[in-house]
Amino acid sequence: GALTEVIRKLQDENRFLGWGKRIAFAYCYALIKNGNVKEAVTILGRANACMRGVNDKLDSQLISIALAYADLANGSAPRAMKKLDSIAKDLEEDARPFFYNLQGDILTKMDKTSQAVLVYYKTILLDQTSGYERGYAKTKITEIYTKQGDTARVAKLKKL
């Protein structure tokens, strides 16, 4: 639609400024969340043609995270986890909240809720976590605890 064209234009115009990959990451995350996985994967593929930004390693990790998210949305949790595993060793600070939340989502999808809770807590404990990513992690933990009937932990989580 119209927004897609605006984002494409932004990505093209900023291709040589080093912002194209960040724009692709943010936009594609929204596309995937709204079910437009195929379009997101296409845009992420185009992101590789963008000029390197200030932190190319972070940009590449964010693109990998978005591609893993697309795999999860397409029903392939193991494939998504494999993509995350490939960047886990030397993760950039600013990629961590997105990485941990997606890892938690994958583990939840694989019915490994205890592990998912621990991973979501990593997002909450990060110093530089954005309000959205931190809130998302708290919401996911609350959902898991509520399903387990653990109201005491839900109450404690609200205090964080």
Side-chain angles (χ1 to χ4, degrees):
L3 184 57
T4 300
E5 287 307 311
V6 169
I7 295 298
R8 278 197 186 121
K9 186 176 178 185
L10 278 172
Q11 191 178 21
D12 288 341
E13 289 174 358
N14 293 296
R15 173 183 305 208
F16 301 110
L17 297 177
W19 303 337
K21 290 180 182 177
R22 302 277 173 99
I23 291 169
F25 168 75
Y27 180 55
C28 290
Y29 234 68
L31 280 175
I32 295 165
K33 193 170 284 249
N34 288 300
N36 299 322
V37 180
K38 187 175 179 181
E39 184 179 357
V41 171
T42 300
I43 291 170
L44 289 166
R46 291 179 64 220
N48 290 324
C50 295
M51 184 176 174
R52 289 180 175 192
V54 175
N55 187 341
D56 191 49
K57 184 177 171 186
L58 172 62
D59 292 343
S60 294
Q61 288 177 352
L62 292 174
I63 296 299
S64 293
I65 290 167
L67 287 168
Y69 186 33
D71 285 340
L72 180 63
N74 279 330
S76 182
R79 185 173 171 179
M81 188 62 86
K82 189 173 182 178
K83 276 192 174 79
L84 290 187
D85 287 346
S86 73
I87 63 170
K89 200 172 203 176
D90 195 22
L91 201 57
E92 288 289 304
E93 184 84 22
D94 289 341
R96 289 180 183 173
F98 303 102
F99 177 92
Y100 293 138
N101 280 348
L102 181 56
Q103 190 178 44
D105 291 349
I106 294 167
L107 290 166
T108 300
K109 187 78 167 180
M110 298 169 88
D111 291 324
K112 298 180 179 180
T113 54
S114 295
Q115 289 175 303
V117 167
L118 294 174
V119 172
Y120 289 129
Y121 269 117
K122 287 181 182 181
T123 302
I124 293 170
L125 296 174
L126 290 173
D127 288 337
Q128 297 179 355
T129 302
S130 74
Y132 175 80
E133 292 301 316
R134 189 172 198 274
Y136 179 84
K138 285 177 81 171
T139 298
K140 298 308 271 184
I141 295 169
T142 300
E143 287 174 9
I144 292 168
Y145 284 159
T146 302
K147 280 183 184 176
Q148 295 173 344
D150 196 338
T151 55
R153 284 190 176 164
V154 171
K156 287 180 184 177
L157 183 62
K158 287 181 181 179
K159 294 177 184 177
L160 288 181

